[in-house]
């Protein structure tokens, strides 16, 4: 049986997979089973931030695999401690980290910290978490309920109690009460449709929450790891949240989920844990990825790549206004609003046929999350393929 047949027979069919099967990658270029090459403007949904088959990450991983990969969290783990130091330093926040394995798990950890903090903080138990209507926070029972999109709340109940949804940032204030444990937001909603929040509104929210001693959780699972120009989008927005979650881009393809918080003493031994989280393998990946991205940031190369990509995208948008209504995003998390969902579906399919991979977000957004190491040549090639892809539309 070929992969498609094996998948159909033995894998639960939870994804609408296409027919493509990639066998290798090199930076932002992918090769499929037929030997056909594709430019990857997706990074595997914002994960492969330093490109496919990054030689430095691979060398670090191979060296680590030769020594030790896992011991459990009952012992000291050098790469985990170093990864935490690298992440805290890159962010500039006075925080400490907990290591899990996915974005959803990081958000679960954030919610646990907020709830325990709410329990200790004053007489009334604070348990409510306010999130936004178009948010996406994960697929576990709790994070699916934290996700504000109603369509995600079909089946699977009863859900944990205490999630409250605000239409937008400005609507949060009216929902705060004595039971509010935290507010959790994405600064740029990813799955919701590349939807950046307004900077001044976010700053006003931060000020309001600080005055009420309510922690702000920023879900940076998609925005973290220099995707928006700084290590966290919180830095881009000029805010200091109490809790930040990271995952996708900081492991470069090795599963990792991280909660970082300035509420360092809320959790005590036994309150939270993970068998795999922060083991030698995943932490080594984090150390290597963050080191590479730090260098790109300091050298100015990250900024150059982002400027080049955005200049190309602007031009693509300007010359195709019959298909697109708006360009959105920050840094290398960007999108184009497509005039309707059918046109978006045609663009996605034509793009694939012409050798460039792009993403959908929300109902009508063509989303771009290229590797942060993508070269000018790869960017040129990708936009050339996109131009051909839409020429018949
Ligand atoms: C992808 C994503 C998640 C879920 O991450 P998983 O690793 O799939 O659990 C949560 N929040 C945001 C903002 C995301 O983009």
């Amino acid at each position: 049986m070929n992969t498609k047949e094996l998948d159909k027979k033995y894998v639960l069919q939870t994804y609408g997979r296409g027919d493509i099967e990639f066998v290798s990658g090199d930076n932002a270029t992918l090769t499929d089973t037929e030997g056909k090459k594709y430019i990857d403007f997706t990074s595997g949904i914002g994960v492969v931030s330093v490109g496919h088959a990054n030689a430095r990450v691979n060398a670090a991983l191979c060296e680590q695999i030769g020594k030790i990969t896992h011991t459990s969290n009952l012992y000291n783990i050098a790469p985990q401690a170093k990864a935490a130091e690298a992440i805290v330093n890159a962010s500039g926040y006075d925080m400490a980290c907990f290591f899990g394995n996915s974005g959803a798990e990081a958000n679960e950890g954030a919610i646990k910290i907020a709830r325990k903090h709410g329990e200790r903080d004053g007489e009334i138990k604070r348990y409510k978490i306010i999130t936004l209507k178009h948010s996406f926070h994960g697929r576990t029972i709790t994070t699916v309920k934290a996700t504000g999109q109603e369509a995600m709340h079909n089946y699977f109940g009863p859900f944990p109690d205490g999630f409250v949804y605000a239409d937008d940032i400005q609507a949060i204030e009216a929902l705060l009460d004595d039971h509010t444990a935290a507010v959790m937001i994405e600064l740029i909603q990813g799955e919701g449709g590349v939807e950046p929040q307004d900077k001044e509104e976010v700053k006003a929210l931060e000020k309001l929450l600080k005055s009420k001693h309510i922690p702000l959780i920023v879900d940076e699972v998609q925005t973290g790891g220099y995707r928006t120009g700084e290590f966290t989008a919180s830095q881009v927005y000029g805010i200091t949240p109490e809790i930040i979650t990271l995952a996708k881009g900081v492991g470069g393809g090795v599963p990792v989920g991280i909660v970082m918080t300035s509420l360092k003493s809320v959790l005590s031994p036994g309150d939270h844990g993970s068998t795999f989280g922060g083991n030698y393998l995943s932490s080594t990946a984090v150390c290597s990825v963050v080191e590479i991205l730090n260098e790109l940031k300091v050298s100015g190369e990250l900024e150059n790549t982002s400027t080049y990509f955005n200049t190309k995208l602007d031009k693509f948008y300007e010359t195709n206004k019959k298909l697109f209504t708006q360009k959105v995003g920050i840094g290398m998390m960007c999108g184009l609003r497509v005039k309707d969902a059918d046109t978006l579906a045609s663009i996605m399919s034509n793009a694939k046929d012409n050798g460039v991979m792009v993403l959908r977000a929300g109902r009508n957004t063509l989303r771009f999350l290229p590797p942060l190491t993508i070269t000018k040549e790869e960017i040129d090639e990708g936009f050339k393929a996109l131009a051909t892809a839409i020429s018949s539309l």
Side-chain angles (χ1 to χ4, degrees):
M1 276 192 275
N2 66 26
T3 304
K4 186 86 194 163
E5 290 159 351
L6 284 171
D7 182 280
K8 273 245 150 73
K9 181 151 190 219
Y10 293 111
V11 180
L12 291 182
Q13 297 297 295
T14 63
Y15 302 102
R17 299 190 209 271
D19 288 325
I20 298 184
E21 179 187 344
F22 296 114
V23 290
S24 64
D26 179 10
N27 200 32
T29 306
L30 287 162
T31 305
D32 73 7
T33 42
E34 320 277 275
K36 183 177 165 183
K37 304 239 186 249
Y38 300 78
I39 296 298
D40 185 7
F41 281 171
T42 77
S43 314
I45 321 190
V47 167
V48 194
S49 55
V50 294
H52 295 279
N54 185 290
R56 268 173 74 181
V57 178
N58 287 355
L61 286 173
C62 287
E63 194 191 330
Q64 187 58 56
I65 287 167
K67 290 189 214 154
I68 190 166
T69 54
H70 185 91
T71 59
S72 88
N73 277 302
L74 299 175
Y75 311 102
N76 291 298
I77 300 169
Q80 182 181 128
K82 285 182 188 152
E85 180 190 29
I87 280 168
V88 168
N89 286 343
S91 78
Y93 294 123
D94 179 12
M95 292 184 172
C97 302
F98 173 86
F99 290 82
N101 311 282
S102 70
E105 196 186 342
N107 288 336
E108 292 262 356
I111 292 164
K112 281 178 76 173
I113 292 168
R115 288 244 171 115
K116 188 167 181 211
H117 175 261
E119 205 163 347
R120 292 149 34 118
D121 201 42
E123 309 235 308
I124 304 167
K125 181 169 162 47
R126 299 199 212 166
Y127 65 94
K128 288 185 187 170
I129 312 280
I130 300 174
T131 67
L132 296 174
K133 284 250 162 82
H134 295 286
S135 56
F136 179 80
H137 297 299
R139 300 286 194 163
T140 60
I141 294 279
T142 297
T143 57
V144 110
K145 190 62 177 166
T147 296
Q149 304 176 43
E150 277 300 328
M152 300 269 297
H153 304 158
N154 294 328
Y155 328 114
F156 316 125
F159 291 101
D161 214 353
F163 290 94
V164 179
Y165 313 116
D167 283 335
D168 52 36
I169 297 274
Q170 284 178 317
I172 291 172
E173 182 166 10
L175 297 172
L176 299 176
D177 64 23
D178 290 343
H179 300 291
T180 306
V183 169
M184 177 155 78
I185 59 170
E186 295 154 89
L187 291 171
I188 306 171
Q189 289 178 339
E191 303 309 307
V194 193
E195 207 54 85
Q197 301 296 348
D198 179 83
K199 220 177 203 173
E200 294 316 311
E201 284 181 23
V202 169
K203 282 189 168 164
L205 173 70
E206 181 201 25
K207 206 168 150 199
L208 173 72
L209 295 180
K210 289 227 187 318
S211 76
K212 295 181 179 289
H213 306 288
I214 297 171
L216 173 63
I217 303 169
V218 179
D219 177 348
E220 298 232 28
V221 167
Q222 194 159 146
T223 53
Y226 290 106
R227 178 57 55 189
T228 65
E230 298 291 342
F231 182 70
T232 62
S234 297
Q235 295 163 265
V236 175
Y237 274 71
I239 58 166
T240 304
E242 280 67 31
I243 306 173
I244 294 174
T245 56
L246 301 165
K248 295 190 166 99
V250 293
V254 175
V256 60
I258 299 165
V259 195
M260 53 193 301
T261 181
S262 52
L263 304 171
K264 296 179 199 176
S265 53
V266 171
L267 296 181
S268 310
D271 281 340
H272 196 42
S274 163
T275 297
F276 295 117
N279 78 11
Y280 287 82
L281 190 67
S282 58
S283 303
T284 296
V286 172
C287 287
S288 184
V289 167
V290 173
E291 184 179 87
I292 293 167
L293 293 176
N294 281 341
E295 287 172 16
L296 288 181
K297 172 71 182 173
V298 170
S299 71
E301 212 175 308
L302 183 72
E303 180 78 36
N304 288 343
T305 305
S306 178
T307 304
Y308 192 78
F309 188 88
N310 275 284
T311 306
K312 282 285 202 177
L313 185 59
D314 282 335
K315 208 161 155 197
F316 181 70
Y317 166 61
E318 292 296 334
T319 48
N320 295 290
K321 281 200 168 162
K322 64 178 199 299
L323 300 176
F324 306 114
T325 57
Q326 198 188 359
K327 181 188 176 241
V328 286
I330 300 179
M332 280 193 269
M333 179 168 180
C334 15
L336 296 175
R337 300 261 190 269
V338 183
K339 64 175 183 177
D340 58 62
D342 287 345
T343 308
L344 176 55
S346 306
I347 295 173
M348 303 277 302
S349 156
N350 291 2
K352 177 193 69 184
D353 292 345
N354 283 280
V356 57
M357 304 312 290
V358 285
L359 289 161
R360 170 204 305 271
R363 204 187 65 84
N364 65 341
T365 303
L366 182 65
R367 178 169 45 155
F368 300 84
L369 293 169
L372 305 177
T373 52
I374 191 168
T375 63
K376 282 195 164 86
E377 290 72 27
E378 285 170 329
I379 295 173
D380 288 347
E381 210 176 308
F383 278 102
K384 210 170 111 195
L386 265 184
T388 314
I390 61 156
S391 59
S392 62
L393 298 174

